[in-house]
Amino acid sequence: EIGLTQSPATLSLSPGERATLSCRASQSVGAYLAWYQQKPGQAPRLLIFDASKRATGIPARFSGSGSGTDFTLTISSLEPEDFAVYFCQQRSHWYTFGQGTKLE
Amino acid sequence: QLQLQESGPGLVKPSETLSLTCTVSGGSISSSNYYWDWIRQSPGRGLEWLGTVYYTGGTYYNPSLSSRVTMSVDTSKSQFSLKLGSVTAADTAVYYCARHPFTSHYFDSWGRGSLVTVSS
């Protein structure tokens, strides 16, 4: 099983600031990585797939980068609605998720 | 707009079988373009993919759970189902049904989730 480790566990920022979230895979997943946003009481929402492609309707302030084992989700300027938990997910070998980063 | 809705008992006794159904509306479960998934989330285990079913009935299961998981599809009812046998407290979680496209293998639509508690 491919493990995904996200850091930091919690990120404390203010609206307007830049957020940088990390996801590291236990072995190479190529570019087969996605990012999801989850708000309390809701299901996760797909933000980024194939490491850097924005899903339909996702604002341009969300961007993804990386390949192999190291990936980054960047939110260029935080809006109030961006404070949530973010998960990464790989599809290189079956499907596994990271443990999440809480953006507060 | 596609909607997925989980249904089933919220409480299951240890050693029994957890059964959930997902009803698909606003789209066709018989589309060759999509797979249908079960994913669960718990504080201890995080998000965990359980398995996938295709409209033809073909299935793929998480190897760590494959001995206890069975999934099926009923296209006439636009539903797919999950059975998880021999449950323990560790199977207490929010269970989501979801969809992923044939081409991308990322989960682009999710149900609202159904909390299942395993307790006597």
Side-chain angles (χ1 to χ4, degrees), chain A residues 24-76:
Chain A
R24 176 165 290 179
S26 59
Q27 63 189 77
S28 177
V29 298
Y32 294 140
L33 189 107
W35 291 92
Y36 297 81
Q37 176 193 69
Q38 186 177 33
K39 296 180 179 179
Q42 297 183 16
R45 177 176 70 142
L46 179 64
L47 299 175
I48 301 287
F49 66 97
D50 285 347
S52 62
K53 300 174 183 177
R54 274 191 301 277
T56 302
I58 301 304
R61 64 181 181 274
F62 290 91
S63 64
S65 64
S67 66
T69 60
D70 291 300
F71 299 87
T72 299
L73 174 69
T74 301
I75 310 171
S76 59

Side-chain angles (χ1 to χ4, degrees), chain A residues 87-100:
Chain A
F87 295 95
C88 55
Q89 175 241 324
Q90 65 81 23
R91 54 144 284 195
S92 177
H93 182 68
W94 297 117
Y95 311 105
T96 55
F97 294 85
Q99 82 281 13

Side-chain angles (χ1 to χ4, degrees), chain A residues 1 31-34 36 38 41-46 48-51 87 89-91 94-99, chain B residues 35 37 39 41 46-49 52 60-64 96 100 103-113:
Chain A
E1 179 176 303
Y32 294 140
L33 189 107
Y36 297 81
Q38 186 177 33
Q42 297 183 16
R45 177 176 70 142
L46 179 64
I48 301 287
F49 66 97
D50 285 347
F87 295 95
Q89 175 241 324
Q90 65 81 23
R91 54 144 284 195
W94 297 117
Y95 311 105
T96 55
F97 294 85
Q99 82 281 13
Chain B
Y35 291 97
D37 305 276
I39 296 164
Q41 184 174 30
L47 284 161
E48 183 177 30
W49 168 75
T52 296
Y60 306 88
Y61 300 144
N62 185 322
S64 68
Y96 294 101
H100 75 261
T103 52
S104 83
H105 295 269
Y106 301 108
F107 308 104
D108 66 353
S109 291
W110 298 64
R112 297 172 65 91

